[in-house]
Amino acid sequence: MKKYLVYIPLLAIISCNKSDPKVEASSSITPESSVALASVNNQVGKEIYWKGFVNGKTPVFIHYQIDDNVIVGEITYLNTKNKLPITLLGTVEDDNNYRILEFEKSGNITGVITGKPSEGAFTGSWFSPKTRKELALNLVKKDTALASKEIETNVEDLFGRYRYQYSEAGYQGDLEIKRLPGSKAVFGITSVTGEPARNLAQVDDDTIDLKTTHFTYKLDDTDECEFKVKFYKGFAVVQYTKGVCSGQFGMNATIEGIYLKIK
């Protein structure tokens, strides 16, 4: 197994001037953040519901469940014609703040929701990776009954390609895992930072034993660069187990994140 180290000076990510069709835009921030998981009660199968507004103008309905600090749910923009739900995937971080990503089917991330829910309110922000604009998010809890989606997967169904992309100019990552005879599999991960520089984090294809829906992997010739990959139904979460793999990848490049299954 080989690993690569690419070092290119990281410049500011190019922002786009086009507005997002779903919401109105205002100020900007940088959305990229590593996956940091806190310890919260397991709420798998227990749906939590919120209704409110983005920027005080765009009505939204959000629901999700939590499993081992992974948030799985949907957001619906109530002012759209078809009111189609959009996949939400995120994490509860060390400070108990939520960081939730809004995924298109391609793996492109169209929105980043951050905030800390209280007993009856969720106050935070909605950020567009494309326009680099941040908007206020204000939600109130609702008593609604919807059937929870199954989020657990099995070994037979997890093989395929997974991806995330913070717009064409932003951070991007690919994870692929293929079945081999017996209980073997081959996987690889490649991620890059945003434009105009593209710093690389890469784990070359390697063969592993895979008897469950998760595995832990350590890079050769390192003491601390270890990470866990856990598969769910339709997505995967990659998280470092011993802190950031300092010096193993290009500047600011990381393999950590949430990857949507695209095929």
Side-chain angles (χ1 to χ4, degrees):
M1 193 277 293
K2 299 181 291 183
K3 57 180 182 293
Y4 294 88
L5 176 63
V6 175
Y7 184 89
I8 307 172
L10 178 64
L11 303 178
I13 298 175
I14 295 176
S15 60
C16 300
N17 294 322
K18 296 181 181 179
S19 62
D20 192 284
K22 294 192 292 296
V23 295
E24 239 178 85
S26 62
S27 62
S28 67
I29 59 171
T30 301
E32 286 75 30
S33 173
S34 63
V35 178
L37 302 185
S39 177
V40 298
N41 294 330
N42 189 301
Q43 301 178 50
V44 73
K46 179 182 178 182
E47 291 286 331
I48 302 169
Y49 310 94
W50 304 93
K51 193 173 182 180
F53 294 90
V54 175
N55 206 31
K57 299 178 180 180
T58 304
V60 295
F61 173 69
I62 292 175
H63 68 95
Y64 55 77
Q65 57 181 300
I66 300 175
D67 177 36
D68 289 337
N69 308 304
V70 174
I71 301 168
V72 186
E74 293 174 326
I75 182 171
T76 302
Y77 289 87
L78 301 177
N79 63 341
T80 57
K81 181 178 179 181
N82 296 321
K83 297 180 176 61
L84 297 176
I86 300 170
T87 297
L88 292 179
L89 301 172
T91 54
V92 182
E93 301 187 347
D94 285 336
D95 57 2
N96 289 320
N97 275 284
Y98 287 16
R99 185 171 187 274
I100 309 174
L101 309 176
E102 181 184 293
F103 276 93
E104 292 181 324
K105 292 181 179 179
S106 64
N108 185 52
I109 296 168
T110 54
V112 181
I113 294 171
T114 54
K116 181 183 289 188
S118 63
E119 189 65 28
F122 190 143
T123 301
S125 65
W126 183 97
F127 176 85
S128 169
K130 182 177 181 179
T131 65
R132 314 297 297 169
K133 303 299 182 181
E134 181 189 14
L135 307 174
L137 175 72
N138 291 284
L139 307 172
V140 293
K141 187 169 285 188
K142 293 295 180 180
D143 293 325
T144 307
L146 292 176
S148 296
K149 290 188 175 182
E150 177 60 51
I151 65 174
E152 299 295 330
T153 190
N154 54 60
V155 175
E156 290 72 24
D157 295 334
L158 63 79
F159 299 99
R161 185 182 175 193
Y162 298 74
R163 180 171 176 76
Y164 73 81
Q165 176 177 307
Y166 288 90
S167 79
E168 290 294 333
Y171 279 54
Q172 299 172 19
D174 287 278
L175 183 160
E176 190 165 10
I177 184 163
K178 301 176 183 177
R179 184 198 302 269
L180 294 178
S183 298
K184 301 288 186 180
V186 59
F187 87 102
I189 304 175
T190 300
S191 298
V192 294
T193 58
E195 292 182 351
R198 290 292 193 185
N199 295 331
L200 178 68
Q202 182 166 314
V203 178
D204 280 351
D205 287 356
D206 198 11
T207 301
I208 57 171
D209 290 313
L210 188 66
K211 297 180 181 179
T212 64
T213 57
H214 59 86
F215 66 91
T216 300
Y217 187 88
K218 181 175 174 291
L219 289 185
D220 287 349
D221 303 321
T222 67
D223 294 325
E224 300 297 331
C225 193
E226 181 182 270
F227 57 90
K228 179 179 180 180
V229 181
K230 183 172 183 180
F231 294 94
Y232 293 84
K233 189 172 184 178
F235 68 100
V237 177
V238 180
Q239 180 194 8
Y240 297 127
T241 61
K242 298 181 178 180
V244 177
C245 290
S246 178
Q248 300 302 315
F249 306 125
M251 181 183 291
N252 292 333
T254 179
I255 59 170
E256 193 170 59
I258 300 176
Y259 297 70
L260 187 76
K261 190 175 185 180
I262 60 173
K263 66 178 182 179

